[in-house]
Amino acid sequence: MNRIILALFTFLIISGVSLAQEKKDANSKPAKIEIYNPKADAKAELKAAATKAKKEGKHVFVQVGGNWCGWCILFHKLVDATPELKNYLNNNYETVLVNYSPENKNADVMASLGYPGRFGFPVFVILDGNGSVLHIQNSAYLEEGKGHSVKKVMEFLQGWTAAAIKPENNK
């Protein structure tokens, strides 16, 4: 009988410690995700990307959002986890992430991009090699179900490459 009581007491102590640890883990804050840099000089980054894109015959893919934006983080993770998207972006675009947050709303840059935030976040802007806005994409149109569609994102990217908009390729 003493063994049963001792075993039961030991079980209760171990369970209590385990539950206390689970409760502590559940209450701890998740690690802060830092994809966007609020301190970045977005204007300089866009200029550098446009210059490089022009030399390489590419366009600039601008992802506007913030670390506060769950959809922005999910899109970034989707691209990172999908080699097809990641490689296509790297091969056809110079990519710049422009921060929009309470710390830095990048007001001048947002104005120069045509106020893309009016479509929500994330929002995508395609620039040519001169830094001129070619297209602003509301990312909601690239969603399917509970997230962004790899197929829709790929179709969007394919439609705005430097080669795709050349007149000779559209006859």
Side-chain angles (χ1 to χ4, degrees):
M1 181 74 168
N2 286 341
R3 285 186 182 175
I4 294 173
I5 293 173
L6 182 61
L8 183 60
F9 182 71
T10 304
F11 174 77
L12 289 174
I13 289 175
I14 291 172
S15 297
V17 169
S18 176
L19 287 174
Q21 183 64 39
E22 285 178 25
K23 188 173 182 179
K24 180 182 175 190
D25 291 345
N27 290 331
S28 63
K29 290 185 179 181
K32 188 175 179 184
I33 297 174
E34 297 277 337
I35 294 172
Y36 296 86
N37 181 358
K39 295 177 183 175
D41 183 347
K43 189 174 184 178
E45 288 182 0
L46 289 170
K47 185 177 180 180
T51 299
K52 187 173 181 189
K54 189 171 192 170
K55 286 180 187 173
E56 296 180 7
K58 296 180 178 183
H59 281 160
V60 180
F61 174 80
V62 183
Q63 181 180 331
V64 183
N67 296 321
W68 53 269
C69 170
W71 283 104
C72 302
I73 304 302
L74 288 173
F75 180 80
H76 189 80
K77 287 180 178 180
L78 173 73
V79 171
D80 244 13
T82 311
E84 178 186 14
L85 286 176
K86 191 173 188 174
N87 292 334
Y88 197 83
L89 262 171
N90 289 337
N91 292 333
N92 294 282
Y93 294 92
E94 291 303 315
T95 302
V96 178
L97 275 66
V98 173
N99 179 76
Y100 179 87
S101 68
E103 302 90 14
N104 184 357
K105 293 185 179 184
N106 275 308
D108 292 343
V109 170
M110 296 297 277
S112 73
L113 295 176
Y115 300 101
R118 68 185 186 274
F119 295 112
F121 298 95
V123 62
F124 311 124
V125 183
I126 304 297
L127 307 177
D128 66 13
N130 297 317
S132 298
V133 174
L134 297 175
H135 181 70
I136 300 172
Q137 179 65 44
N138 178 340
S139 69
Y141 296 124
L142 304 177
E143 294 173 13
E144 191 168 73
K146 296 183 179 186
H148 292 99
S149 161
V150 170
K151 181 181 182 226
K152 289 181 180 183
V153 171
M154 182 59 82
E155 288 171 352
F156 159 66
L157 293 172
Q158 289 170 338
W160 287 100
T161 63
I165 65 167
K166 286 184 178 177
E168 61 270 21
N169 293 335
N170 290 291
K171 291 182 180 179

